[in-house]
Amino acid sequence: MKTLGDRIKYLREKKNIKQKELATKCGLTIVQLSRYETNDRKPDPETLRRLIDVLETNGDYLLGLTNDPSPLEKRESNLSFYGGPNDWTEEEFKAADDFIKEIREARQRALDKANKEQK
């Protein structure tokens, strides 16, 4: 079975992304990413989330719980306060997806701006 690092590297190479590019998109240094790919270190939960987002995969794949790297269409979570995702309409799912996309784009813009300022 492939390790977390093997899976990160596999997806990065499959998407034809260089280490530097993935590291930048995830707010990491090349050294940090390299250590994850060689299994010298394990990413913290927030870094793992960023890797999942940028590599467009799912956490179960990176953690070795499935061999299917495709992203999950609808992520189940404990949203019982809102009636739970099983009670959501398609319109509510779309609104939530749109909102999450906006947040991710804003985060990426902030990371890009910070990276430009560092240069």
Side-chain angles (χ1 to χ4, degrees), residues 11 14 56-59 61 66-73 75:
L11 289 173
K14 183 178 176 186
E56 297 176 321
T57 189
N58 66 76
Y61 174 74
T66 182
N67 288 322
D68 181 4
S70 57
L72 300 175
E73 290 301 315
R75 296 198 173 146

Side-chain angles (χ1 to χ4, degrees), residues 94 96-107 109:
K94 182 169 179 356
D97 283 343
D98 290 345
F99 181 68
I100 291 168
K101 286 176 187 173
E102 287 179 30
I103 291 170
R104 289 180 179 163
E105 289 169 1
R107 181 179 60 202
R109 284 192 301 272

Side-chain angles (χ1 to χ4, degrees), residues 10 24 26 28 39 55-56 73 75 89 96 99 107 112:
Y10 167 77
T24 299
C26 291
L28 303 169
N39 296 297
L55 294 171
E56 297 176 321
E73 290 301 315
R75 296 198 173 146
T89 65
F99 181 68
R107 181 179 60 202
D112 291 345

Side-chain angles (χ1 to χ4, degrees), residues 20-115:
K20 183 176 182 176
E21 182 182 352
L22 180 58
T24 299
K25 286 182 176 186
C26 291
L28 303 169
T29 65
I30 295 174
V31 172
Q32 287 173 305
L33 179 59
S34 177
R35 287 182 177 159
Y36 298 152
E37 288 187 356
T38 58
N39 296 297
D40 290 337
R41 298 267 190 259
K42 300 288 184 232
D44 61 78
E46 181 56 33
T47 300
L48 186 61
R49 167 50 62 209
R50 289 193 305 262
L51 287 164
I52 290 166
D53 290 345
V54 174
L55 294 171
E56 297 176 321
T57 189
N58 66 76
D60 286 350
Y61 174 74
L62 286 185
L63 296 174
L65 300 173
T66 182
N67 288 322
D68 181 4
S70 57
L72 300 175
E73 290 301 315
K74 294 181 182 176
R75 296 198 173 146
E76 295 292 328
S77 63
N78 186 4
L79 298 171
S80 58
F81 179 79
Y82 302 103
N86 294 332
D87 293 335
W88 286 19
T89 65
E90 285 302 313
E91 186 177 282
E92 289 171 322
F93 268 114
K94 182 169 179 356
D97 283 343
D98 290 345
F99 181 68
I100 291 168
K101 286 176 187 173
E102 287 179 30
I103 291 170
R104 289 180 179 163
E105 289 169 1
R107 181 179 60 202
Q108 188 60 52
R109 284 192 301 272
L111 283 171
D112 291 345
K113 182 179 178 184
N115 287 330

